[in-house]
Amino acid sequence: MLQFVVGFALGSVVGMYLAQNYQVPNITKKIEEFKKDADARKNPPDSKS
């Protein structure tokens, strides 16, 4: 249990340091863009015009 708490705390501190000092990409935005691209490829455009 103590090992989990120490590991979690250390990971949080390192994550905060990296987020403040480096240009970390926003993972949520990247996932949303990937989903949009996948949906666009899955549903081909209608050619009924």
Side-chain angles (χ1 to χ4, degrees):
M1 179 69 181
L2 180 63
Q3 183 179 5
F4 171 75
V5 172
V6 171
F8 184 79
L10 184 62
S12 297
V13 169
V14 169
M16 287 186 281
Y17 173 80
L18 292 175
Q20 290 177 0
N21 294 310
Y22 294 97
Q23 191 75 21
V24 180
N26 187 347
I27 301 298
T28 307
K29 276 187 182 178
K30 296 289 183 186
I31 292 173
E32 290 299 322
E33 289 175 8
F34 179 75
K35 284 182 182 177
K36 286 179 185 176
D37 289 342
D39 287 341
R41 292 175 191 254
K42 191 183 295 181
N43 301 327
D46 293 332
S47 58
K48 295 180 180 178
S49 23

